[in-house]
Amino acid sequence: MIVTAAPARSPRHALYDGDLRSLLLIRHFERALLRLFEQGVLSGTTHTCLGQEYVPVALSALLRDDDFVFSNHRGHGHFLARHPDPHGLLAEIMGREGALCGGVGGSQHIYHRRFLSTGVQGESLPVATGVALKLAGSGALACAYIGDGTWGEGAVYEALNMASLWRVPLLVVVEHNGIAQSTPTSAQMAGTIAARAAAFGVRHHHVTSTDVGEIREALAPLVDTVRAEPSPLVVEFATHRLGPHSKGDDTRPPEEIRRARESDWYDRYAEADPERFARIDREQRELVERVVAEVSARPHSRPGGSA
Amino acid sequence: MTRVSEHINQALHDLMESDPSVHLLGEDVSDPYGGAFKVTRGLSDRFGSRVRSTPLSEGAIAGVGAGLALAGDKAIVEIMFSDFVALAFDQITNFAAKSTSMYGRPVPVPLVVRCPTGGNRGYGPTHSQNPQKHFIGVPGLSLFEMTPFHDAGELFARMFRLARPCLFFEDKVLYTRQMYRTDDLFRFELVDDVARVYLDGAGRPDCTLITHGGLVHRALDAMRTLLLEDDLVCELLVPAQLYPVPRLPGLEDARHVCVVDDGTEGGSWAAEVATALYPRLWGRLRRPITLVNSADGVIPAAPHLEREVLVQADSIRAAVKEGLS
Ligand SMILES: Cc1ncc(C[n+]2csc(CCOP(=O)(O)OP(=O)(O)O)c2C)c(N)n1
Ligand SMILES: [Mg+2]
């Protein structure tokens, strides 16, 4: 059973065009990936962030260019919200010319400017703590996205302890979607994330809204404090995974998937502002279609080559 | 016809049915998911709390397995991708393996750590490795690997009889292949627990290949091409026990020996096999044993790059021809 639920209500703050664009770019990018897999054009695996797009979009305006972002296996949205470069990302996933990392890393191993992802859960938090240690005092921070399931890894706690002891500007963004691959939170986490953060003297903030503007408003002063003090902060989003963990591997009961869909931002934003939404939705869908066509036609990537 | 993954699944069912002291732990192993590679399907429905989906805690679940074993039961721990066994390195090498002997008397630790292994699936650098070599030469630890020729049930029984921790590697591409099948040109037999794959009716082979389970099909492809295109006869030896290196049969009259290993070069299983063979074969070898390994590099996600790094049939063929030239 998913223990988290976002309130279903219409957005209080109107979305900027740029945010809507970003949300829909990620949505259509992820959908395109699942389609490409079905067509047998993609190899390996992928983890889409369908339903969770608003988390990195909300955060993007709170992050600075000199902040360092650590991402995980479900990282396409994290990347696109920070670097709207769907060509580079898709080329990386498809191993084509223009790939962000020459096609070596693929979907889960990307290092581009100050954005880095890796596929081993929990591994990033100590590294983010080290980066934050270096950034402390500069006003920049290290932001690390992790899932609820990743709180099973011991490295998470070793990192939180040091981050708190050494007062480093570390922003831990938890996308608590109630599930880890196939295992519901209730079967993999005792206690709560809030209590775990408290145990290390680390501030914790819970976000249940899916409203980009509302989230930003609440987080802005907290993120400022992370930079200014500096100090670590855990921001836990109650969110929902709409799609499978990777591809074709969703064993959740239908009513649970339905409940996740009901919390989706997509329909709510569409209803709130139908005309603008439809226009930007079409624009981003067509953009992603063009990106897919263009990148698919490119030759294979070579590491250390273009990009 | 049984796929290797189904065969292992059946062996786990039989084992848990026949031995109520066996527990199985791992991430997402419970039904209906049944594990990332579906190898544990049906077990939790059937055996209840003896099968547990765990949190993402590789180090701790290896330790919990060791604890169950220490307390008199038996444990199988699944590491979802063998790359993550690195997170359990301390529990396996510093506790489970050492505790069999560091208390001044034998302490049984019947623990099997199952590790889905290997590349050629485009999963990228942290989900594709062959980490066998990192566990070679650890006192108290044995290494096994699934092959298409060995009965998984017998291997589980054997590992538990050792009463010491064992790593059991299972190649992820091998999961999709059939048990007990070779190329139509070759036959196989088990000699002292080592599978010997040979050309029926052929005399002394030009080259004897030695490899581990995950490479069997690539080795067979190479053997086929070597025979049909290059007129070279090869024989293949596939031990299920990787370490300690078991006695490999029939090498005394080998013209040339080639060890093929999907792990990266440097400190490799192939080198370990060669080290074990040199004293025995020294007077008879006409040339050094050929070692074939994956390149000294990370395993790229893009298939065209991944292919270049990992051992493939054509790299085996080239190495054999060079070794015989
Ligand atoms: C150390 C490690 N163990 C296991 C995995 C396999 N794996 C990838 S994602 C995942 C579940 C992660 O759950 P969560 O942290 O909640 O993130 P979500 O997938 O829900 O976004 C697992 C088990 C991994 N990548 N790394
Ligand atoms: Mg989760």
Side-chain angles (χ1 to χ4, degrees), chain B residues 28-295:
Chain B
D28 301 286
V29 295
S30 294
D31 295 310
Y33 203 72
F37 300 98
K38 310 304 161 206
V39 174
T40 56
R41 219 174 228 167
L43 292 171
S44 72
D45 278 351
R46 195 162 160 207
F47 301 106
S49 62
R50 284 167 59 205
V51 178
R52 276 180 203 273
S53 271
T54 68
L56 276 78
S57 309
E58 289 78 8
I61 63 178
V64 169
L68 286 162
L70 195 68
D73 279 356
K74 302 186 184 76
I76 298 179
V77 169
E78 175 176 304
I79 302 291
M80 188 184 285
F81 286 80
S82 68
D83 311 63
F84 314 147
V85 76
L87 285 151
F89 196 80
D90 173 63
Q91 286 290 346
I92 293 169
T93 62
N94 276 328
F95 182 75
K98 277 181 191 164
S99 65
T100 59
S101 62
M102 74 174 165
Y103 298 109
R105 62 179 189 283
V107 173
V109 182
L111 167 69
V112 172
V113 181
R114 294 185 36 245
C115 298
T117 295
N120 284 307
R121 290 185 65 144
Y123 286 162
T126 63
H127 288 63
S128 308
Q129 298 166 92
N130 274 278
Q132 291 90 329
K133 69 177 186 181
H134 300 301
F135 294 91
I136 288 174
V138 176
L141 188 65
S142 297
L143 271 54
F144 287 78
E145 180 162 329
M146 185 60 193
T147 91
F149 310 119
H150 290 81
D151 182 89
E154 284 173 21
L155 292 178
F156 284 128
R158 210 170 125 198
M159 289 188 277
F160 279 140
R161 270 200 309 275
L162 289 174
R164 61 190 217 159
C166 295
L167 295 187
F168 186 52
F169 296 94
E170 304 167 7
D171 185 272
K172 303 196 287 281
V173 173
L174 183 66
Y175 279 149
T176 64
R177 311 301 289 251
Q178 306 293 327
M179 281 300 293
Y180 307 122
R181 289 266 300 276
T182 58
D183 187 290
D184 52 359
L185 287 172
F186 302 98
R187 317 185 71 187
F188 84 92
E189 61 177 3
L190 287 181
V191 186
D192 302 336
D193 240 28
V194 175
R196 173 178 169 257
V197 189
Y198 58 98
L199 188 66
D200 208 14
R204 201 150 76 107
D206 296 297
C207 182
T208 303
L209 302 174
I210 300 164
T211 198
H212 55 100
L215 263 166
V216 162
H217 294 91
R218 281 169 276 166
L220 283 174
D221 286 349
M223 285 163 67
R224 182 184 185 89
T225 317
L226 283 160
L227 181 68
L228 301 178
E229 313 260 318
D230 308 312
D231 223 11
L232 293 171
V233 176
C234 294
E235 183 172 301
L236 176 66
L237 299 179
V238 190
Q241 183 178 310
L242 300 184
Y243 188 84
V245 177
R247 174 144 188 107
L248 296 158
L251 287 167
E252 270 62 27
D253 57 353
R255 286 200 171 96
H256 184 54
V257 177
C258 175
V259 191
V260 193
D261 171 6
D262 220 5
T264 50
E265 59 190 39
S268 67
W269 175 73
E272 188 60 31
V273 172
T275 302
L277 290 178
Y278 273 125
R280 186 177 140 203
L281 305 180
W282 189 249
R284 290 173 239 251
L285 288 170
R286 287 189 291 169
R287 44 174 79 81
I289 295 172
T290 299
L291 305 186
V292 180
N293 276 96
S294 290

Side-chain angles (χ1 to χ4, degrees), chain A residues 71-88:
Chain A
S71 173
N72 58 2
H73 60 299
R74 207 174 294 292
H76 306 152
H78 305 157
F79 179 81
L80 291 172
R82 188 163 172 80
H83 300 292
D85 176 11
H87 290 88

